[in-house]
Amino acid sequence: MANIETIKRNFIGDFKVGDNILANGKALCRLSSTNEADTFNKLMVVQAGSIVEAALDQIIYRAQN
């Protein structure tokens, strides 16, 4: 079972980006819990990539502003 980390709310500057990260995180958890015979591996990589992309976007945005 994966460790769950809590991210402080002030990390995300834009509500829609935070909403996107939350939705992708929930989808990733659902895929992970039902991943029998490695069926959903590719979808899980896409979901994880979406989360990383949104987080990096916020890091770059905060570094520039």
Side-chain angles (χ1 to χ4, degrees):
M1 181 162 190
N3 294 333
I4 296 176
E5 299 265 343
T6 302
I7 299 173
K8 295 179 182 178
R9 291 182 180 183
N10 62 357
F11 170 74
I12 305 299
D14 184 11
F15 173 76
K16 278 311 246 182
V17 173
D19 196 33
N20 184 14
I21 290 174
L22 182 63
N24 283 317
K26 287 180 180 180
L28 182 58
C29 287
R30 284 191 308 268
L31 285 170
S32 176
S33 66
T34 59
N35 191 20
E36 296 177 13
D38 299 330
T39 304
F40 300 125
N41 284 350
K42 189 172 185 178
L43 293 172
M44 290 171 59
V45 169
V46 171
Q47 289 301 120
S50 296
I51 294 168
V52 170
E53 178 187 17
L56 286 174
D57 175 65
Q58 288 299 297
I59 291 169
I60 292 169
Y61 173 78
R62 287 182 177 266
Q64 290 175 343
N65 296 317

